[in-house]
């Protein structure tokens, strides 16, 4: 096999017990960024990152101006010089794993590279500094970007109309199911249940519940797809919608999606499509053509805008004409005088779901991505994403158990069944992958696969990078057989070893607290006189 990894860089024996983080002696290493203390530990009283010149205007009496709002001391604040601050945060930034550093094999979340052209365009002055309170007459360019993106997304999804407002996938689901509810209500009956397959992303049942529906679970068949008989038995006059992810969360295309739509429509129910996996469909097939009534897209997955770290995201909702009256307010329209504007006069709308008009910067990036690729490029992107997933699948089959033999689309789900015999679980191998310089794949999801190892390479990875990942995972499978302890105690090369995951979730320490004796920092007179 490839000798991509220098063996010396990766520990091949388990280290002694994991070092606890707090109070432990710092690791001796040549890399300064491995030794960074807290900013409070670096502080020394009186240090400043600035010097102001002498006041040459009369001093203002801050107390007279601000009354009670004047703060005499700032609590305990770090005091440092500019270079110390810059170095502190620059060092910390190198502790992040990032898409610009290496591959994220995470499945279900499409972590693809965000082309630099998107950033260049989104930072153009007129775009970056446009203000949401600018009048429509001065916002024709920004409105034009939204309108063009909407038209592109409608062409890609095969839908009739769209809103760009929602700020994430889950927020798009919420908006879409609110619209479904408003639609049924307009016919006199909101209905009671939403069907959700057992392979669904957790946000689907959560969405249905938040919008006031009971969630009815649908069991998948042996291919990981919807069982049509099960569906027929489950749909009745109380069914508001089925929330379907296609391709599903195990990376399998629902080949009977037309029949699924027909079964629902026959009972007056709607087909909601979770479009988070559109990276496998763009340019190849359109949900609007295969019977979906409403869907969301994750611009921050399929359309390459940055992803992770809590946003900003964007989850546009596209739908068929029958749901158009219920779209969030306002919508972007072409007015009678030919200019673009917002339509607020929408009496049946579910209302506003986001301040202003969503995360505009994401629209710019998504549009730049779409136009830079063009129709042929987008289709190629989809084909490359599917090819990459199947390449990984072919190279790792035999090393790991493959619970579903159905052809993979853009992601592949293995399980830890072979390694679990030696006590090595999916989470252990995910952590060991960190020692090989990768972010972990998606661990233990989807839940219908016990010990799931879910991998989605996306189109942005070269064959060389895929080979590095494959090589690492093949080696890990060997380690799991020959030296299970090594894998079970990974990671060995990181600054912090295994966390107590229960305590990290239940008793997280998110904030530094001043030792009781610390002197609060006084507001200095220079600051008082501004
Ligand atoms: C990511 C994802 C979501 C949720 O999207 P967010 O933007 O994270 O809220 C919903 N469904 C599926 C299938 C997803 O992969």
């Amino acid at each position: 096999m490839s000798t991509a990894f220098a063996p010396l860089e990766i520990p091949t024996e388990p280290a002694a017990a994991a070092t606890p983080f707090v109070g432990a002696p710092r690791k001796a290493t040549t890399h300064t960024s491995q030794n960074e203390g807290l900013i409070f530990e670096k502080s020394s009283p009186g240090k400043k990152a600035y010097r102001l010149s002498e006041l040459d205007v009369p001093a203002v009496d801050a107390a007279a101006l601000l009354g009670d709002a004047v703060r005499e001391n700032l609590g305990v604040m770090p005091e440092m010089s500019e270079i110390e601050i810059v170095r502190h945060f620059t060092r910390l930034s190198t502790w992040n794993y990032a898409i610009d550093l290496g591959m994220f094999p995470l499945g279900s979340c499409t972590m693809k590279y965000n082309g630099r052209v998107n950033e260049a365009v989104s930072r153009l002055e007129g775009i970056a500094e446009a203000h949401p309170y600018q009048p429509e007459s001065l916002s024709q360019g920004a409105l034009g970007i939204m309108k063009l993106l909407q038209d592109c997304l409608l062409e890609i999804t095969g839908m009739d109309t769209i809103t760009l407002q929602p700020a994430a996938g889950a927020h798009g689901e919420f908006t879409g199911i609110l619209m479904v509810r408003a639609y049924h209500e307009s016919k006199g009956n909101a209905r009671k249940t939403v069907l959700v397959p057992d392979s669904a992303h957790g946000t689907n049942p959560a969405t249905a519940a938040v919008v006031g529906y009971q969630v009815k679970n649908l069991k998948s068949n042996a291919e990981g797809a919807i069982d049509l008989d099960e569906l027929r038995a489950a749909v009745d006059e109380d069914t508001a919608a089925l929330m379907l992810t296609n391709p599903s969360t195990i990376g399998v295309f629902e080949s009977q999606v037309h029949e699924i739509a027909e079964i629902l429509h026959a009972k007056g129910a709607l087909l909601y499509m979770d479009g988070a996996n559109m990276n496998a469909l763009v340019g190849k097939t359109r949900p609007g053509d295969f019977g979906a009534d409403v869907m969301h897209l994750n611009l921050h997955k399929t359309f390459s805008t940055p992803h992770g770290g809590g946003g900003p995201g964007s989850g546009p909702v596209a739908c068929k004409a029958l749901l158009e009256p219920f779209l969030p307010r306002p919508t972007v329209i072409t007015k009678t005088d030919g200019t673009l504007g917002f339509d607020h006069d929408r009496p049946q709308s579910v209302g506003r779901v986001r301040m202003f008009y969503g995360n505009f910067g994401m629209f710019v990036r998504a549009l730049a991505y779409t136009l830079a690729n063009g129709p042929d490029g987008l289709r190629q992107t989809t084909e490359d994403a599917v090819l990459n997933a199947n390449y990984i699948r072919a190279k790792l089959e035999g090393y790991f158990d493959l619970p579903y033999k159905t052809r993979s689309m853009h992601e592949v789900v293995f399980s830890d069944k072979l390694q679990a015999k030696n006590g090595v679980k999916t989470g252990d191998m995910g952590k060991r992958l960190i020692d090989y310089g990768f972010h972990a794949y998606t661990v233990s999801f989807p839940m219908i696969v016990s010990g799931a190892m879910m991998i989605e390479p996306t189109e942005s990875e070269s064959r060389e990078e895929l080979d590095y990942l494959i090589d690492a995972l093949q080696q890990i499978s060997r380690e799991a057989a020959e030296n299970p302890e090594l894998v079970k105690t990974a990671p060995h090369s990181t600054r912090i070893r295994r966390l107590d995951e229960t305590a990290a979730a239940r008793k997280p320490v998110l904030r530094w607290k001043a030792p009781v004796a610390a002197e609060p920092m006084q507001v200095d007179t220079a600051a008082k006189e501004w």
Side-chain angles (χ1 to χ4, degrees):
M1 240 343 270
S2 132
T3 51
F5 296 100
L8 280 180
E9 288 173 11
I10 300 158
T12 50
E13 284 303 322
T19 13
F21 176 42
V22 181
R26 289 182 190 166
K27 265 206 300 200
T29 139
T30 50
H31 201 250
T32 49
S33 68
Q34 292 277 329
N35 282 333
E36 192 64 10
L38 295 175
I39 196 167
F40 294 98
E41 296 167 359
K42 309 195 128 204
S43 168
S44 44
K47 268 200 190 173
K48 267 190 227 163
Y50 66 92
R51 184 165 44 201
L52 297 179
S53 42
E54 288 288 306
L55 208 59
D56 60 357
V57 291
V60 179
D61 181 352
L65 209 62
L66 300 173
D68 287 352
V70 175
R71 286 176 70 181
E72 287 300 327
N73 73 61
L74 299 177
V76 180
M77 296 284 274
E79 295 171 75
M80 297 167 83
S81 69
E82 184 176 290
I83 184 66
E84 287 173 318
I85 297 168
V86 169
R87 284 192 182 145
H88 176 71
F89 287 107
T90 304
R91 286 171 185 169
L92 290 184
S93 75
T94 67
W95 294 2
N96 277 338
Y97 192 80
I99 197 83
D100 285 349
L101 205 61
M103 174 183 183
F104 276 69
L106 282 176
S108 177
C109 261
T110 312
M111 293 290 286
K112 69 203 245 175
Y113 173 69
N114 181 40
R116 285 295 184 269
V117 64
N118 306 351
E119 291 307 311
V121 175
S122 69
R123 279 155 210 216
L124 292 176
E125 196 184 347
I127 288 174
E129 295 185 5
H131 195 281
Y133 280 138
Q134 266 170 222
E136 282 173 12
S137 61
L138 295 180
S139 303
Q140 290 298 304
L143 284 160
I145 287 171
M146 292 186 220
K147 180 74 172 60
L148 184 55
L149 176 63
Q150 292 190 359
D151 291 346
C152 291
L153 297 179
L154 289 176
E155 178 60 33
I156 286 166
T157 56
M159 291 292 188
D160 298 326
T161 180
I162 189 167
T163 175
L164 302 178
Q165 267 189 49
H171 195 197
E173 291 172 33
F174 170 73
T175 306
I177 296 296
L178 268 187
M179 288 163 57
V180 167
R181 189 176 182 101
Y183 163 81
H184 287 304
E185 263 167 7
S186 76
K187 306 194 140 226
N189 176 8
R191 303 194 167 202
K192 295 198 179 75
T193 53
V194 166
L195 302 176
V196 179
D198 54 8
S199 61
H201 195 274
T203 50
N204 291 184
T207 294
V210 169
V211 179
Y213 284 114
Q214 284 158 23
V215 177
K216 217 164 155 191
N217 225 286
L218 272 187
K219 269 187 67 183
S220 309
N221 63 19
E223 284 81 49
I226 298 264
D227 186 317
L228 292 191
D229 291 333
E230 180 108 8
L231 178 66
R232 269 187 211 102
V235 184
D236 57 25
E237 266 69 31
D238 281 336
T239 311
L242 162 71
M243 294 183 83
L244 181 75
T245 308
N246 194 16
S248 75
T249 294
I250 49 171
V252 171
F253 188 78
E254 292 282 354
S255 53
Q256 293 178 299
V257 66
H258 281 110
E259 285 90 330
I260 291 173
E262 276 164 23
I263 293 170
L264 292 162
H265 292 157
K267 293 278 161 86
L270 299 182
L271 176 56
Y272 182 95
M273 192 175 114
D274 180 329
N277 290 342
M278 277 297 283
N279 211 37
L281 302 189
V282 173
K284 302 296 284 186
T285 182
R286 310 193 310 167
D289 298 340
F290 60 59
D293 299 295
V294 48
M295 65 179 295
H296 76 265
L297 292 161
N298 289 56
L299 297 190
H300 50 285
K301 292 181 182 172
T302 312
F303 293 87
S304 98
T305 72
H307 181 183
S314 184
V317 173
C319 62
K320 292 283 175 62
L322 82 173
L323 290 171
E324 198 269 344
F326 313 105
L327 282 172
R329 195 169 36 222
T331 49
V332 177
I333 51 158
T334 308
K335 297 194 290 192
T336 44
D337 65 1
T339 62
L340 294 168
F342 288 120
D343 180 14
H344 293 269
D345 183 21
R346 302 183 54 81
Q348 287 186 283
S349 165
V350 296
R352 186 185 273 285
V353 297
R354 177 83 185 142
M355 67 172 105
F356 302 122
Y357 196 72
N359 286 328
F360 180 70
M362 297 296 106
F363 308 158
V364 177
R365 291 174 175 89
L367 183 61
Y369 167 82
T370 304
L371 298 180
N373 276 293
D376 294 340
L378 290 175
R379 188 174 310 115
Q380 184 71 48
T381 292
T382 301
E383 288 171 0
D384 289 348
V386 173
L387 177 66
N388 280 357
N390 283 285
Y391 180 68
I392 288 178
R393 171 176 162 151
K395 293 280 184 178
L396 292 181
E397 216 179 328
Y399 289 87
F400 301 98
D401 169 61
L402 188 66
Y404 291 98
K405 310 291 183 240
T406 327
R407 255 244 160 287
S408 291
M409 294 287 288
H410 62 307
E411 59 193 357
V412 53
V413 180
F414 293 100
S415 95
D416 64 10
K417 197 165 154 195
L418 304 177
Q419 290 73 28
K421 290 183 200 133
N422 292 332
V424 175
K425 302 282 182 49
T426 175
D428 301 323
M429 294 188 280
K431 288 192 194 303
R432 182 60 175 155
L433 199 52
I434 298 170
D435 285 335
Y436 284 89
F438 289 96
H439 193 281
Y441 50 75
T442 294
V443 165
S444 304
F445 182 82
M447 287 187 305
I448 48 169
V449 174
S450 164
M453 308 167 62
M454 188 189 204
I455 302 175
E456 178 182 358
T458 81
E459 73 286 352
S460 17
E461 301 308 332
S462 64
R463 175 159 174 198
E464 188 184 34
E465 189 76 14
L466 295 183
D467 283 338
Y468 284 140
L469 177 81
I470 288 162
D471 189 33
L473 282 165
Q474 288 176 347
Q475 290 200 41
I476 291 170
S477 90
R478 271 182 225 112
E479 290 169 355
E482 290 159 13
N483 187 359
E485 260 330 279
L486 174 66
V487 185
K488 282 158 72 177
T489 51
H492 303 282
S493 60
T494 50
R495 183 171 181 275
I496 299 169
R497 301 282 309 283
R498 279 204 181 203
L499 297 174
D500 176 341
E501 286 176 8
T502 312
R506 297 285 153 83
K507 295 184 217 152
V509 181
L510 301 177
R511 191 174 156 259
W512 178 83
K513 284 209 186 96
V516 189
E519 282 286 313
M521 180 183 168
Q522 297 297 315
V523 175
D524 65 31
T525 41
K528 230 183 200 171
E529 278 166 11
W530 44 255

